[in-house]
Amino acid sequence: MTERELGKAYRPAEVEGSVYERWLAADVFAPDGTGSRADAAKPPFVIIQPPPNVTGSLHLGHAQRTAVEDLMIRHARMQGRPTLFLPGLDHASIAAQFVLDGILAREGESRATLGRDRYLERMSEFVERTRGVILGQQRRVGASADWSRLRFTMDDGSAKAVRHAFARLHRDGLAYRTAALINWCPTCRTSLSDLEVIATPTTGSLWTVRYHLVDGSGAADPDAWITVATTRPETILGDTGVAVHPDDELYTALVGRRVRIPFVDRDVPIVADESVDRAFGTGAVKVTPAHDATDLETGQRHGLASIDVMTDDGVINEHGGAYAGLDRFAARARILEDLAGLGDLEGERPHELILGRCQRSDDVVEPRLKTQWFIRVAPLAERALAVTRSGQTRILPERFDKIWEHWLTGIRDWNVSRQLWWGHRIPAWYCPDGHVTVSELEDGPAACETCGRGASELRQDPDIFDTWFSSGLWPFSTLGWPDATDDLARYYPGSVMETGYDIIFFWVARMMMLGLALLDEAPFETVYLSGLIRDPYGKKMSKTTGNVVNPLEIIDTTGADALRFALIHGATPGLDQRFGQAKVENARNFANKLWNAARFVLGARPETIPAGSPRRAPDPELLGPSERWIRSRRAATVETVDRAMSDFQFAEVTRALYEAIWSEYCDWGLEFVKVRLADDSLSSATREATWWTLVEALDTYLRLLHPVMPFVTEELWGAIPHDAGDPALLIVADWPSAEEQEAPIEADIFAIIDLIGAIRNARAEAGVEAGAWLAVRVAVPDDLGPAFNALAPSIERLVRARPLTQVSTREELNRSANAGLTVVVGDLEARIELSADEDSADRERHRLEKELADAEGFLTAAKSRLGNDAFVQRAPAAVVAGARSRAAELEETVARLRERLGR
RNA sequence: GGGCGAUUGGCUCAGUCGGUUAGAGCGCGCGGUUCACAUCCGCGAGGUCACUGGUUCGAAUCCAGUAUCGCCCACCA
């Protein structure tokens, strides 16, 4: 295996361009690809990704999801599990139509001018052009998806799954067609599910209107009326009754009488109904069954007619008498005017109400009575709840359980038909007699299943499905369902479904319900909910605000690795993160640090090891304390990362690696070892072992970091010596395993690190010239002797000590006491020689006094704790012992500082 | 109306069995052309962990309440 040359400077664009091509060429993304080293005996790991909109382009949210998904899949791949990361695209029915309609409008065309067939042709062309965009962008992020299995929610496989799913639900009584009150968007000219209606608090008005009573002769009495309250006066045109509470004495006499609805001159009954709130408004409610859900129920209880007074565009229709042809809001204004003219507008007052607005168009949604297809969700929701309650499927973070429970408890049936064109046609056919035949056959049923009329007489439902219906089938429609394919058997259910918490109901809940209903098994084991990405000020990124960050620009300038690291580093499940340039730059600097560390290691290869030598394990017999410390920290990091990965604590993964690589390996490991590698007095075998230790740790860190920063790690890994058993590419290399740690060595080295820090601090505080070499004498206790001795040459360099003298007792240290700096760190005490002038002596005294005061403060706290019997008796023994040794250490420090200060 | 989340140095955030002196990055101050890295190195300043009360030997962490901000759910005309 030959080493690859590394460029002097880290250039992410150069690295990333070629690395992805290498992965593709090696065919490592598919679980059964030629380059895959997956162990078929291990359980497969399947990640379910929300397929992005086919007309969309990558935003930071996508980038974050992709980064997190890819992190998980790469980790599993390196563990040798067969991994499936199936990429896809969603046709996004209403969203895509919105985009295309905008384009058509600029061309002076519209849905109406084109007609259904030509419109759909245009859509297909449009989608053909856009579909490659986001896929290419996902690759730039580094998604190691199995592109050979790319799926689209409008492809034949999805279409087949949709037909079968719906036919099956219909057969099971879970899909039905009925007239019901639905949400209607006049702008989109379609019905909407409850989720697509945004409840918007609005200040409106509550008007009170007089409805005149009809007397025995059938005439409206100008002097007798009942006053009703309404926020939507235009619905007066559809009123078919007035309701009062049965116990309301104010109105008991009127129940059974009739009133005349203004303008349409319809005489309707006053009925008594429990649903009326006596305290609200006037206590009398106008009943408009075709435009209000409560009214529809009231109407049904009392046999009142339902009159829809609007067209699909939100214009008053022929039932509106003189107001026909007026837009609903214009009609409202005119009606109010006319009521006032008649003297029947009794009052108006401001009123806070919740207005439903269309998620897509923001238009005011009208409740309308329409015949539509529905999914009966109660039984499905119950199963979904059972699965999460039993723990078969786990939602992360756990607090979403409650939200999940609440939403699935008492949800209303799902209106799945849409009066749009771009989407899957509902596979229902109607015969002239109105019989319905639902069929999973692509060309429709051969005959009406009720009356047997032939196919030529049947007409297919013009409506299409809610886009989330096909999305809801995604975990299995992409694996060949309804056919019993090998893929389905192998990769269903999925392992982790990753998505933003904003579509938990739209998508996650629907997948869960449909998966359980159609396959009798929940579609995934874990639901991992990501937070949303916000701008540096916490605002939601949006095109209109202009605060959208384009991830591709970040990739171009700082690299996909940096972007991924930054996104994953800020990813706390379910919590939003603010994202700004500083975070990516920090991540880019980290990649740069890693690059340079690798360059250093490669360049420090002892001459006795020929270039291109295969990897050798360091000889444990020849390792000094610094090497043993590096190995021990490496093992500790493996453990930390493993734990964080299995807990889905991805931010912790990046934090641990950042610290291990930068603050330990680079700041101390490499600095200690540098001197050793250059030390001619050591045997070449020793220096070789030292170098192999560096390579070993670097290798481990590259592996651990690969799921986060796949490009740079792949490139660097390609440049270091490898073992004969290693594959050619890091992406399929083995995940490291933790080994035993050497705790005693860790303590020694950390003590020495503290000493070095303290000496540097003393020098800086004393204003010693940075480059000056000063004589330093250190009193080293016996137990630290070997480590200190072995590291002396490194310490010398790191604190600019010349000469560095090791003495064994403090008496010895004090014997040649002269002016200088004193450093006390636990058992270690050092004296830095410095020519005395009054100024510096003062500063030194001041510094020592401050240190003494600190130490005394901590000592007092520790002592008072230990003086508390309750603490000593009740706290765990280890905590008490820790406090004791801490106190002893502080005592020692205090004593030494006092002595030095002559107290 | 119901529910959830956040509140930790100037900024962004870690802190997941309660246990030494609460950490990091950015920013800030001082000093550095040390042969991997100025996308860097060394040193430092800066926090009564929103507030009040409680539980506990011990609370940023657990409980109750309050405040501010944000989010979700909700068919009273």
Side-chain angles (χ1 to χ4, degrees), chain A residues 395 400 403-404 500-510 529:
Chain A
I395 301 178
F400 279 92
I403 297 170
W404 176 262
Y501 65 77
D502 53 336
I503 55 173
I504 181 170
F505 306 135
F506 279 107
W507 195 45
V508 183
R510 265 87 177 252
L529 297 169

Side-chain angles (χ1 to χ4, degrees), chain A residues 340-351:
Chain A
L342 293 170
D344 287 335
L345 185 60
E346 204 164 83
E348 171 183 356
R349 61 174 174 85
H351 180 63

Side-chain angles (χ1 to χ4, degrees), chain A residues 591 827 847:
Chain A
D827 294 355
R847 183 179 68 86

Side-chain angles (χ1 to χ4, degrees), chain A residues 600 669-679 694 794 797:
Chain A
F600 169 74
L670 296 185
E671 295 303 329
F672 280 137
V673 160
K674 257 178 196 173
V675 175
R676 248 172 113 72
L677 285 172
D679 188 346
L694 290 184
S794 304
R797 192 183 114 103

Side-chain angles (χ1 to χ4, degrees), chain A residues 582-606:
Chain A
K583 295 185 179 185
V584 207
E585 275 170 19
N586 180 238
R588 187 268 323 267
N589 294 353
F590 178 53
N592 181 63
K593 186 75 183 176
L594 183 67
W595 181 272
N596 282 296
R599 276 183 57 228
F600 169 74
V601 170
L602 292 172
R605 175 170 45 81

Side-chain angles (χ1 to χ4, degrees), chain A residues 76-253:
Chain A
R77 186 183 291 118
M78 291 177 77
Q79 288 180 316
R81 296 176 66 175
T83 51
L84 180 61
F85 180 0
L86 191 146
L89 293 165
D90 195 285
H91 67 282
S93 173
I94 190 166
Q97 284 205 198
F98 223 74
V99 174
L100 182 62
D101 288 359
I103 293 171
L104 291 176
R106 286 195 286 280
E107 295 169 3
E109 298 276 3
S110 74
R111 256 190 265 176
T113 61
L114 288 181
R116 187 163 189 151
D117 289 345
R118 279 180 55 209
Y119 183 83
L120 286 177
E121 269 169 42
R122 273 300 300 267
M123 182 64 90
S124 297
E125 289 165 20
F126 178 53
V127 160
E128 204 49 50
R129 280 207 310 279
T130 61
R131 64 177 285 151
V133 172
I134 194 147
L135 298 176
Q137 291 170 334
Q138 287 192 327
R139 293 181 196 213
R140 293 288 311 278
V141 178
S144 59
D146 181 359
W147 300 105
S148 72
R149 288 176 208 250
L150 176 70
R151 290 292 304 270
F152 179 39
T153 56
M154 276 294 277
D155 62 23
D156 292 345
S158 266
K160 183 174 171 187
V162 165
R163 292 193 306 269
H164 278 262
F166 189 70
R168 165 85 181 278
L169 292 171
H170 184 249
R171 208 175 304 130
D172 293 348
L174 293 168
Y176 64 96
R177 185 170 184 258
T178 193
L181 211 82
I182 49 88
N183 310 298
W184 185 266
C185 173
T187 297
C188 303
R189 297 174 55 107
T190 181
S191 62
L192 304 170
S193 68
D194 293 344
L195 278 175
E196 291 161 286
V197 179
I198 310 300
T200 317
T202 311
T203 303
S205 295
L206 185 68
W207 290 278
T208 39
V209 178
R210 291 173 183 168
Y211 284 4
H212 291 269
L213 293 166
V214 178
D215 62 25
S217 66
D221 184 340
D223 300 319
W225 59 77
I226 185 167
T227 306
V228 297
T230 182
T231 56
R232 292 184 296 158
E234 69 279 13
T235 62
I236 287 172
L237 304 171
D239 279 356
T240 57
V242 169
V244 297
H245 195 274
D247 302 335
D248 194 340
E249 284 151 22
L250 215 53
Y251 297 118
T252 26

